[in-house]
Amino acid sequence: MSRSARLLDLVQILRRHRRPVSGRTLADAIGVSIRTLYRDIATLQGQGAPIEGEAGLGYVLKPGFMLPPLMFTDEEIEAIVLGSRWVAKQPDKRLAAAAADALAKIAAVLPDDLRDDLDATTLLVGPRSESIEAIDLGIVRQAIRDERKLGFLYRDAGGAASKRLVWPFALAFFDKVRVMVAWCETRQDFRHFRADRMSGLTTTGIRYPRRRQAMLKEWRAGLDAPGRNGGKDASG
């Protein structure tokens, strides 16, 4: 176990106790000597953890303390790096840049041993998808956050075009395509729109009348309903 992971475990143990816990009990719980335990307590206090007490009396963590995101397990680091690397290779340029920036910020504040693990992870992401969208997915993501209607021209698999006005509430990222999930005013039903078949995207600034979480819940329920697929593709 790395020292950073051990410090995190120590904080988690202290959180479970409202009354002072002896140093010996804490040392046994994390599998270290009492001397190491005292050094760990001092380290956490130096990082701002409100741990009160002293040797012989026990230690208690004041309520409300939140650790900064500096300590991760090996698998958490792998998940962070793999996820960030995958997003960084997506065609959504702003989201890709944000993923790279977020990973750099995390690396900048990690302890040295965890930063080394971050740099050395061997989980890799394959080549970037060749699919290219003619729209800015950042606009779609912003409309979903703001719960605003979007207008665009959509071409189905056969090439037939139709104008749509939709209430977007989710964006799915697949290896080769990105799919917007929305309520379509034209079809009066949930529809799935491939981003590479969308063009002429326009923001209306008009708030749609339902909450996106409510629509997401209803759409998900439709995935499991007999005879439904949670919203047809947009060919209909």
Side-chain angles (χ1 to χ4, degrees):
M1 179 187 295
S2 69
R3 184 166 184 267
S4 297
R6 189 176 73 240
L7 293 175
L8 179 59
D9 284 349
L10 179 55
V11 170
Q12 300 291 45
I13 293 170
L14 286 168
R15 278 179 172 157
R16 294 197 291 265
H17 297 274
R18 295 185 179 181
R19 298 180 181 277
V21 186
S22 71
R24 174 54 61 189
T25 298
L26 292 171
D28 290 344
I30 60 177
V32 298
S33 68
I34 191 68
R35 181 175 296 182
T36 298
L37 183 279
Y38 291 152
R39 286 200 298 265
D40 287 351
I41 291 287
T43 297
L44 287 171
Q45 290 173 328
Q47 292 179 353
I51 300 174
E52 296 183 343
E54 57 185 84
L57 296 178
Y59 299 90
V60 64
L61 178 68
K62 285 185 176 181
F65 173 66
M66 296 295 292
L67 273 178
L70 306 180
M71 301 177 184
F72 303 96
T73 66
D74 291 340
E75 289 188 341
E76 287 170 343
I77 287 177
E78 289 180 340
I80 291 169
V81 173
L82 183 61
S84 297
R85 286 177 175 174
W86 188 84
V87 174
K89 288 195 174 184
Q90 293 300 307
D92 187 333
K93 294 181 179 179
R94 280 187 282 179
L95 200 61
D101 290 344
L103 190 59
K105 288 179 181 179
I106 291 172
V109 296
L110 281 174
D112 291 341
D113 58 337
L114 291 186
R115 189 181 303 116
D116 291 342
D117 291 343
L118 193 76
D119 294 335
T121 181
T122 55
L123 300 184
L124 306 177
V125 178
R128 184 195 300 266
S129 169
E130 296 181 358
S131 175
I132 300 176
E133 286 93 11
I135 62 169
D136 183 352
L137 290 179
I139 295 175
V140 177
R141 290 187 285 105
Q142 187 64 51
I144 291 173
R145 285 194 294 267
D146 296 341
E147 300 181 340
R148 295 296 191 269
K149 297 181 181 182
L150 285 177
F152 56 91
L153 183 69
Y154 192 76
R155 295 186 181 277
D156 64 21
S162 60
K163 290 185 178 180
R164 303 297 178 103
L165 185 64
V166 304
W167 310 350
F169 60 86
L171 187 60
F173 287 76
F174 297 91
D175 286 340
K176 295 183 178 180
V177 297
R178 269 55 58 190
V179 177
M180 180 181 67
V181 187
W183 176 266
C184 179
E185 291 191 357
T186 303
R187 300 296 186 252
Q188 287 295 296
D189 198 359
F190 294 118
R191 285 293 190 272
H192 302 150
F193 299 93
R194 284 181 47 156
D196 57 347
R197 296 177 182 172
M198 297 168 60
S199 62
L201 187 67
T202 58
T203 57
T204 68
I206 302 173
R207 189 182 186 98
Y208 49 73
R210 298 187 62 191
R211 301 307 304 268
R212 65 174 182 273
Q213 288 299 330
M215 290 194 294
L216 182 61
K217 183 177 180 180
E218 183 179 338
W219 171 75
R220 283 174 170 165
L223 294 177
D224 299 324
R228 293 205 61 179
N229 63 359
K232 302 174 183 178
D233 63 29
S235 59

